[in-house]
């Protein structure tokens, strides 16, 4: 009889080394262990992990569970069938699975002679539900997307683009775009600004002014025979600060495929004028060497606003066109059309006046003859607050105001 039992034990050992894969946070795992307990000498069942100290995971004796030596890691998480020793089902139920539960669990029985024998080994592998390599991959992916997005957004800064820098107020700027590629006669050439607005279109052998964004009307020019020579450069008259940025020159085939694309960065240096707040007046410079006919209109306005700061037309100032905040505060030179000095004197500049001003000259037909931006900086004076003057009480007919601010270009 005893010999037979030993034989059964050996068979069990050789047959039952199982592997179980679980995930972190799973409710429970049942680790199987069967043993024919008709041998009344079976006194105890011990589940253990030899890599832990203490090694006991769960222990069952005739009297019930004996958990004095249980490893703390398993406290309250293990159970066996109440009638395990009678039925021979010695399976261990382990709950709330953790990563640290991975290991080899040994199910062994002890008989009345103090003889302990292994019945089975169970290899439990508890995996992360979301493994760390996947986290790393996800982070890399997110970084890649962000970097890619930035690269696309700021591509003009990374690409070796041609840069053109001019002073605000110059008559025109030349945006170069040349190709050695042989262009088909039905190719279409488009110049666009950084906001995707159409600067100039050339198609079917001629300019297409009706496709232009209105602000560019009458201000652009391309070369003759441009498809033959491959010189697609653009001349833009009176570039302003608002028009700085990446201008693109794109050639399309008749089918709409892009044959070539180049980007030119346009920089327009704005004249800066800086004064202390509280000065009597400041002069915003605007001069031209172009001969101005008698019937031109000179207009000072705030760039990116529609209202006017000062208008000169038909040989005199037009105060009724002024925005009310500038009434009585502006002055232009005498004989300005003869001298070409279109500078504006602004009295009692305040913090509110810290803006960019545009000086534009229109012909009678409404074409722009010149355009210039001037940026006014008004430095806040912390002391001498009581010197602040009330604009309304000051007479506006004082003698030619001295230039109080200094200019920097
Ligand atoms: C294991 O124990 C848990 C918690 O007591 C229980 O919900 C689950 O049914 C048990 N599993 C088995 C197979 O007995």
């Amino acid at each position: 009889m005893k010999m037979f039992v030993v034989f059964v034990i050996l068979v069990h050992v050789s047959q039952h080394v199982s592997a179980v894969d679980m995930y972190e946070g799973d409710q429970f795992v049942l680790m199987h262990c069967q043993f024919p307990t008709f041998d009344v000498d079976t006194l105890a069942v011990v589940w253990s992990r030899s890599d832990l100290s203490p090694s006991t995971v769960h222990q069952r004796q005739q009297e019930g569970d004996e958990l004095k030596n249980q490893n703390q890691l398993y406290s309250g998480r293990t159970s066996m069938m109440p009638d395990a020793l009678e039925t021979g089902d010695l399976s261990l139920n382990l709950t709330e699975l953790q990563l640290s539960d991975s290991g080899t669990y040994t199910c062994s029985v002890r008989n009345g002679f103090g003889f302990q024998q292994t019945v089975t080994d169970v290899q439990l592998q508890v995996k992360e539900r979301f493994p760390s390599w996947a986290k790393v991959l996800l982070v890399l992916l997110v970084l890649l997307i962000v970097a890619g997005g930035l690269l696309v957004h700021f591509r003009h800064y990374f690409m070796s683009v041609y840069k053109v820098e001019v002073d605000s107020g110059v008559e025109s700027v030349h945006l170069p775009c040349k190709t050695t590629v042989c262009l088909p006669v039905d190719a279409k050439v488009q110049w666009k600004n950084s906001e995707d607005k159409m600067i100039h279109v050339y198609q079917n052998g001629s300019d297409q002014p009706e496709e232009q964004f209105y602000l560019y009307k009458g201000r652009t020019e391309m070369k003759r025979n441009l498809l033959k020579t491959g010189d697609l450069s653009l001349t833009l008259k009176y570039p302003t600060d608002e028009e700085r940025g990446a201008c693109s020159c794109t050639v399309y085939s008749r089918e709409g495929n892009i044959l070539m694309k180049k980007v030119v960065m346009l920089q327009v240096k704005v004249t800066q004028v800086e004064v202390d707040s509280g000065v009597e007046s400041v002069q915003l410079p605007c001069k031209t060497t172009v001969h101005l006919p008698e019937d031109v209109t000179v207009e000072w306005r705030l760039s990116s606003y529609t209202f006017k700061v000062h208008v000169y037309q038909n040989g005199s100032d037009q105060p009724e066109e002024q925005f009310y905040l500038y009434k009585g505060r502006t002055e232009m030179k005498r004989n300005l059309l003869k001298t070409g000095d279109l500078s504006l004197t602004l009295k009692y500049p305040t913090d509110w006046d810290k803006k960019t001003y545009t000086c534009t000259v229109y012909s009678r037909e409404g074409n722009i003859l010149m355009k210039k931006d001037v940026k006014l900086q008004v430095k806040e004076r912390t002391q001498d607050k009581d010197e602040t003057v009330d604009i309304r009480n000051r007479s506006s007919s004082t003698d030619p105001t001295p230039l109080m601010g200094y200019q920097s270009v």
Side-chain angles (χ1 to χ4, degrees):
M1 182 80 168
K2 284 266 178 340
M3 286 306 288
F4 177 70
V5 170
V6 169
F7 174 73
V8 169
I9 289 170
L10 289 177
V11 167
H12 271 280
V13 168
S14 61
Q15 281 189 343
H16 288 87
V17 177
S18 49
V20 184
D21 281 353
M22 301 297 291
Y23 284 102
E24 182 183 18
D26 278 347
Q27 292 252 294
F28 68 88
V29 61
L30 197 65
M31 291 188 270
H32 290 282
C33 181
Q34 293 281 339
F35 184 74
T37 45
F38 51 81
D39 176 11
V40 290
D41 281 340
T42 300
L43 285 179
V45 183
V46 180
W47 278 92
S48 60
R49 258 178 78 177
S50 60
D51 57 330
L52 295 183
S53 171
S55 63
T56 304
V57 173
H58 195 93
Q59 183 164 321
R60 167 67 62 83
Q61 296 178 345
Q62 299 287 357
E63 308 80 43
D65 286 337
E66 170 50 62
L67 302 174
K68 260 204 311 250
N69 291 327
Q70 189 186 35
N71 190 299
Q72 254 175 244
L73 274 177
Y74 294 95
S75 168
R77 295 200 293 131
T78 56
S79 62
M80 285 172 71
M81 302 295 256
D83 51 357
L85 289 179
E86 287 84 66
T87 61
D89 180 0
L90 311 180
S91 303
L92 180 74
N93 183 353
L94 175 64
T95 60
E96 296 160 35
L97 293 183
Q98 303 167 1
L99 287 179
S100 58
D101 291 338
S102 295
T104 302
Y105 291 77
T106 303
C107 167
S108 51
V109 292
R110 202 161 52 221
N111 66 17
F113 303 103
F115 183 72
Q116 184 157 330
Q117 182 63 53
T118 298
V119 181
T120 189
D121 280 331
V122 178
Q123 271 164 15
L124 176 65
Q125 171 83 32
V126 182
K127 294 177 193 164
E128 261 183 288
R129 219 169 252 296
F130 202 58
S132 52
W133 62 263
K135 282 182 197 157
V136 169
L137 208 71
L138 193 77
V139 167
L140 280 180
L141 206 71
V142 167
L143 281 179
L144 215 67
I145 290 169
V146 168
L150 286 177
L151 209 66
V152 168
H153 192 257
F154 293 108
R155 62 189 180 282
H156 304 310
Y157 298 92
F158 299 117
M159 280 161 54
S160 61
V161 292
Y162 198 89
K163 283 194 191 115
V164 176
E165 191 172 277
V166 289
D167 286 323
S168 166
V170 293
E171 207 169 317
S172 69
V173 60
H174 179 80
L175 303 178
C177 177
K178 283 186 183 169
T179 178
T180 49
V181 178
C182 193
L183 297 173
V185 286
D186 55 3
K188 178 178 184 179
V189 186
Q190 272 186 357
W191 274 94
K192 280 186 174 181
N193 71 10
S194 54
E195 281 156 7
D196 228 33
K197 295 274 190 317
M198 205 63 81
I199 303 176
H200 194 99
V201 182
Y202 179 94
Q203 195 176 17
N204 302 327
S206 64
D207 298 327
Q208 307 291 325
E210 67 283 356
E211 291 195 40
Q212 275 179 308
F213 186 59
Y214 75 99
L215 283 178
Y216 292 107
K217 289 222 189 299
R219 293 174 53 215
T220 57
E221 218 166 71
M222 287 181 80
K223 297 255 158 70
R224 278 159 204 262
N225 289 324
L226 51 94
L227 293 180
K228 273 204 195 105
T229 60
D231 185 356
L232 314 175
S233 306
L234 182 84
T235 301
L236 176 65
K237 290 180 193 164
Y238 312 112
T240 62
D241 179 41
E242 292 161 322
E243 286 156 5
R244 71 181 185 276
C247 301
S248 63
C249 158
T250 316
V251 184
Y252 296 91
S253 70
R254 208 199 3 210
E255 296 76 35
N257 299 322
I258 293 181
L259 302 177
M260 187 208 91
K261 181 164 183 169
K262 282 194 175 157
V263 175
V264 180
M265 279 300 276
L266 173 61
Q267 294 279 3
V268 181
K269 274 200 296 176
V270 177
T271 305
Q272 294 233 14
V273 176
E274 193 173 280
V275 288
D276 286 326
S277 80
V279 296
E280 210 163 323
S281 72
V282 59
Q283 183 167 298
L284 307 177
C286 179
K287 284 184 179 145
T288 179
T289 51
V290 180
H291 169 73
L292 298 174
E294 286 291 314
D295 53 6
V296 297
T297 302
V298 183
E299 184 187 285
W300 277 93
R301 62 173 179 89
L302 287 182
S303 53
S304 60
Y305 291 85
T306 50
F307 52 78
K308 289 155 186 175
V309 174
H310 193 102
V311 180
Y312 178 94
Q313 199 173 26
N314 302 326
S316 62
D317 297 329
Q318 308 289 325
E320 67 282 357
E321 297 217 30
Q322 268 183 313
F323 187 59
Y324 74 98
L325 279 177
Y326 292 98
K327 290 238 187 286
R329 289 177 60 212
T330 57
E331 216 166 71
M332 288 184 79
K333 298 259 158 68
R334 279 157 205 262
N335 290 324
L336 53 93
L337 295 184
K338 279 209 188 91
T339 60
D341 185 355
L342 314 175
S343 305
L344 183 80
T345 300
L346 179 65
K347 291 175 190 168
Y348 316 118
T350 65
D351 208 39
W352 194 86
D353 296 322
K354 278 200 300 200
K355 294 189 166 59
T356 301
Y357 296 78
T358 307
C359 161
T360 316
V361 183
Y362 297 95
S363 71
R364 198 173 50 177
E365 298 76 37
N367 295 328
I368 293 173
L369 300 179
M370 98 146 265
K371 198 167 183 181
K372 181 185 167 82
D373 284 339
V374 182
K375 191 170 184 176
L376 176 61
Q377 289 286 358
V378 181
K379 276 197 299 181
E380 195 60 50
R381 276 201 314 193
T382 43
Q383 317 131 358
D384 310 339
K385 277 272 189 237
D386 49 355
E387 262 185 39
T388 319
V389 280
D390 188 337
I391 294 162
R392 286 160 298 183
N393 294 342
R394 296 291 284 245
S395 121
S396 58
S397 61
T398 39
D399 291 327
T401 38
L403 178 62
M404 301 299 278
Y406 66 87
Q407 273 173 249
S408 63
V409 178

